[in-house]
Short mmCIF file of all heavy atoms in Angstrom, two decimals:
data_model
loop_
_atom_site.label_atom_id
_atom_site.label_comp_id
_atom_site.label_asym_id
_atom_site.label_seq_id
_atom_site.Cartn_x
_atom_site.Cartn_y
_atom_site.Cartn_z
N ASN A 105 3.93 13.93 8.49
CA ASN A 105 3.49 15.32 8.51
C ASN A 105 2.40 15.59 7.49
O ASN A 105 2.25 14.85 6.48
CB ASN A 105 4.66 16.26 8.27
CG ASN A 105 5.62 16.28 9.46
OD1 ASN A 105 5.20 16.29 10.61
ND2 ASN A 105 6.94 16.25 9.16
N LEU A 106 1.69 16.66 7.71
CA LEU A 106 0.62 17.08 6.82
C LEU A 106 0.93 18.52 6.36
O LEU A 106 1.22 19.40 7.15
CB LEU A 106 -0.72 17.06 7.53
CG LEU A 106 -1.95 17.56 6.77
CD1 LEU A 106 -2.27 16.59 5.61
CD2 LEU A 106 -3.14 17.67 7.70
N TYR A 107 0.85 18.75 5.04
CA TYR A 107 1.11 20.05 4.45
C TYR A 107 -0.11 20.47 3.64
O TYR A 107 -0.85 19.63 3.07
CB TYR A 107 2.32 20.03 3.53
CG TYR A 107 3.60 19.65 4.23
CD1 TYR A 107 4.03 18.32 4.24
CD2 TYR A 107 4.41 20.60 4.86
CE1 TYR A 107 5.22 17.96 4.88
CE2 TYR A 107 5.58 20.25 5.48
CZ TYR A 107 6.00 18.91 5.51
OH TYR A 107 7.13 18.57 6.14
N ASN A 108 -0.28 21.79 3.53
CA ASN A 108 -1.32 22.30 2.63
C ASN A 108 -0.90 23.63 2.03
O ASN A 108 -0.04 24.32 2.60
CB ASN A 108 -2.69 22.43 3.36
CG ASN A 108 -2.61 23.40 4.49
OD1 ASN A 108 -2.59 24.62 4.30
ND2 ASN A 108 -2.58 22.89 5.72
N TYR A 109 -1.48 23.95 0.88
CA TYR A 109 -1.16 25.17 0.18
C TYR A 109 -2.46 25.68 -0.45
O TYR A 109 -3.27 24.87 -0.96
CB TYR A 109 -0.11 24.91 -0.90
CG TYR A 109 0.19 26.13 -1.76
CD1 TYR A 109 1.08 27.10 -1.32
CD2 TYR A 109 -0.40 26.26 -3.00
CE1 TYR A 109 1.37 28.19 -2.09
CE2 TYR A 109 -0.13 27.37 -3.77
CZ TYR A 109 0.76 28.32 -3.33
OH TYR A 109 1.02 29.42 -4.11
N ASP A 110 -2.65 26.98 -0.44
CA ASP A 110 -3.90 27.50 -0.92
C ASP A 110 -3.67 28.89 -1.54
O ASP A 110 -3.16 29.80 -0.85
CB ASP A 110 -4.93 27.62 0.24
CG ASP A 110 -6.31 28.03 -0.23
OD1 ASP A 110 -6.46 28.36 -1.43
OD2 ASP A 110 -7.20 28.04 0.60
N ASP A 111 -3.95 29.06 -2.84
CA ASP A 111 -4.04 30.39 -3.44
C ASP A 111 -5.25 30.38 -4.36
O ASP A 111 -6.07 29.48 -4.35
CB ASP A 111 -2.73 30.79 -4.12
CG ASP A 111 -2.44 30.01 -5.39
OD1 ASP A 111 -3.36 29.30 -5.91
OD2 ASP A 111 -1.30 30.07 -5.86
N GLU A 112 -5.40 31.39 -5.17
CA GLU A 112 -6.61 31.50 -6.01
C GLU A 112 -6.70 30.44 -7.05
O GLU A 112 -7.79 30.07 -7.51
CB GLU A 112 -6.65 32.89 -6.65
CG GLU A 112 -6.87 34.04 -5.66
CD GLU A 112 -7.01 35.36 -6.38
OE1 GLU A 112 -6.94 35.36 -7.62
OE2 GLU A 112 -7.16 36.39 -5.70
N ASP A 113 -5.55 29.92 -7.51
CA ASP A 113 -5.56 28.98 -8.64
C ASP A 113 -5.28 27.54 -8.28
O ASP A 113 -5.71 26.62 -8.98
CB ASP A 113 -4.52 29.42 -9.68
CG ASP A 113 -4.83 30.80 -10.23
OD1 ASP A 113 -6.00 31.05 -10.57
OD2 ASP A 113 -3.91 31.63 -10.32
N VAL A 114 -4.56 27.31 -7.17
CA VAL A 114 -4.17 25.96 -6.81
C VAL A 114 -4.36 25.78 -5.28
O VAL A 114 -3.97 26.61 -4.48
CB VAL A 114 -2.71 25.67 -7.16
CG1 VAL A 114 -2.29 24.25 -6.71
CG2 VAL A 114 -2.45 25.85 -8.65
N VAL A 115 -4.94 24.60 -4.95
CA VAL A 115 -5.02 24.18 -3.57
C VAL A 115 -4.51 22.74 -3.51
O VAL A 115 -4.90 21.91 -4.35
CB VAL A 115 -6.48 24.24 -3.03
CG1 VAL A 115 -6.54 23.69 -1.59
CG2 VAL A 115 -7.04 25.64 -3.10
N TYR A 116 -3.65 22.45 -2.54
CA TYR A 116 -3.28 21.05 -2.39
C TYR A 116 -3.17 20.67 -0.91
O TYR A 116 -2.88 21.50 -0.04
CB TYR A 116 -2.03 20.69 -3.16
CG TYR A 116 -0.70 21.13 -2.58
CD1 TYR A 116 -0.15 20.57 -1.42
CD2 TYR A 116 0.04 22.12 -3.22
CE1 TYR A 116 1.06 20.97 -0.91
CE2 TYR A 116 1.26 22.55 -2.71
CZ TYR A 116 1.75 21.95 -1.56
OH TYR A 116 2.97 22.35 -1.06
N ILE A 117 -3.42 19.38 -0.65
CA ILE A 117 -3.27 18.81 0.65
C ILE A 117 -2.33 17.62 0.51
O ILE A 117 -2.51 16.76 -0.36
CB ILE A 117 -4.62 18.32 1.22
CG1 ILE A 117 -5.61 19.49 1.29
CG2 ILE A 117 -4.45 17.69 2.60
CD1 ILE A 117 -7.04 19.08 1.54
N TRP A 118 -1.30 17.57 1.36
CA TRP A 118 -0.24 16.57 1.21
C TRP A 118 -0.04 15.90 2.57
O TRP A 118 0.42 16.51 3.53
CB TRP A 118 1.06 17.26 0.77
CG TRP A 118 2.25 16.40 0.60
CD1 TRP A 118 2.37 15.08 0.89
CD2 TRP A 118 3.52 16.80 0.08
NE1 TRP A 118 3.62 14.63 0.63
CE2 TRP A 118 4.37 15.67 0.10
CE3 TRP A 118 4.01 18.01 -0.38
CZ2 TRP A 118 5.70 15.72 -0.31
CZ3 TRP A 118 5.35 18.06 -0.81
CH2 TRP A 118 6.16 16.92 -0.78
N GLU A 119 -0.45 14.62 2.63
CA GLU A 119 -0.35 13.87 3.89
C GLU A 119 0.68 12.76 3.74
O GLU A 119 0.68 12.04 2.74
CB GLU A 119 -1.71 13.27 4.25
CG GLU A 119 -1.68 12.45 5.52
CD GLU A 119 -3.02 11.80 5.86
OE1 GLU A 119 -3.93 11.93 5.02
OE2 GLU A 119 -3.12 11.20 6.92
N ASN A 120 1.56 12.63 4.72
CA ASN A 120 2.60 11.61 4.67
C ASN A 120 2.45 10.64 5.85
O ASN A 120 2.09 11.03 6.96
CB ASN A 120 3.98 12.24 4.77
CG ASN A 120 4.26 13.19 3.64
OD1 ASN A 120 3.93 12.94 2.51
ND2 ASN A 120 4.86 14.35 3.93
N VAL A 121 2.78 9.38 5.57
CA VAL A 121 2.78 8.34 6.60
C VAL A 121 4.11 7.60 6.53
O VAL A 121 4.47 7.03 5.51
CB VAL A 121 1.64 7.34 6.40
CG1 VAL A 121 1.68 6.26 7.48
CG2 VAL A 121 0.28 8.05 6.43
N LEU A 122 4.89 7.66 7.62
CA LEU A 122 6.22 7.05 7.72
C LEU A 122 6.14 5.77 8.54
O LEU A 122 5.65 5.77 9.64
CB LEU A 122 7.22 8.01 8.33
CG LEU A 122 8.61 7.44 8.69
CD1 LEU A 122 9.36 7.04 7.43
CD2 LEU A 122 9.38 8.46 9.48
N GLU A 123 6.63 4.68 7.92
CA GLU A 123 6.70 3.41 8.64
C GLU A 123 7.88 2.60 8.13
O GLU A 123 7.99 2.33 6.92
CB GLU A 123 5.40 2.61 8.46
CG GLU A 123 5.36 1.35 9.27
CD GLU A 123 4.00 0.63 9.21
OE1 GLU A 123 3.06 1.22 8.63
OE2 GLU A 123 3.90 -0.49 9.70
N GLN A 124 8.77 2.25 9.03
CA GLN A 124 9.94 1.42 8.71
C GLN A 124 10.73 1.99 7.51
O GLN A 124 11.05 1.27 6.55
CB GLN A 124 9.54 -0.03 8.44
CG GLN A 124 8.93 -0.71 9.64
CD GLN A 124 8.57 -2.16 9.39
OE1 GLN A 124 8.43 -2.59 8.24
NE2 GLN A 124 8.43 -2.92 10.46
N ASP A 125 11.04 3.28 7.59
CA ASP A 125 11.86 3.99 6.62
C ASP A 125 11.18 4.15 5.26
O ASP A 125 11.85 4.54 4.27
CB ASP A 125 13.22 3.30 6.40
CG ASP A 125 14.12 3.49 7.62
OD1 ASP A 125 13.85 4.36 8.44
OD2 ASP A 125 15.14 2.73 7.75
N ILE A 126 9.93 3.88 5.12
CA ILE A 126 9.20 4.08 3.91
C ILE A 126 8.09 5.12 4.14
O ILE A 126 7.34 5.03 5.11
CB ILE A 126 8.58 2.78 3.37
CG1 ILE A 126 9.69 1.83 2.90
CG2 ILE A 126 7.62 3.05 2.19
CD1 ILE A 126 9.23 0.51 2.36
N VAL A 127 8.07 6.13 3.28
CA VAL A 127 7.09 7.18 3.40
C VAL A 127 6.04 7.06 2.29
O VAL A 127 6.37 7.03 1.10
CB VAL A 127 7.74 8.59 3.26
CG1 VAL A 127 6.69 9.69 3.43
CG2 VAL A 127 8.85 8.78 4.30
#
Side-chain angles (χ1 to χ4, degrees):
N105 291 318
L106 177 68
Y107 299 93
N108 62 74
Y109 176 83
D110 186 355
D111 69 15
E112 293 184 0
D113 298 315
V114 178
V115 177
Y116 75 72
I117 303 168
W118 179 354
E119 180 182 5
N120 300 319
V121 178
L122 171 65
E123 185 175 352
Q124 296 182 340
D125 289 343
I126 292 179
V127 181

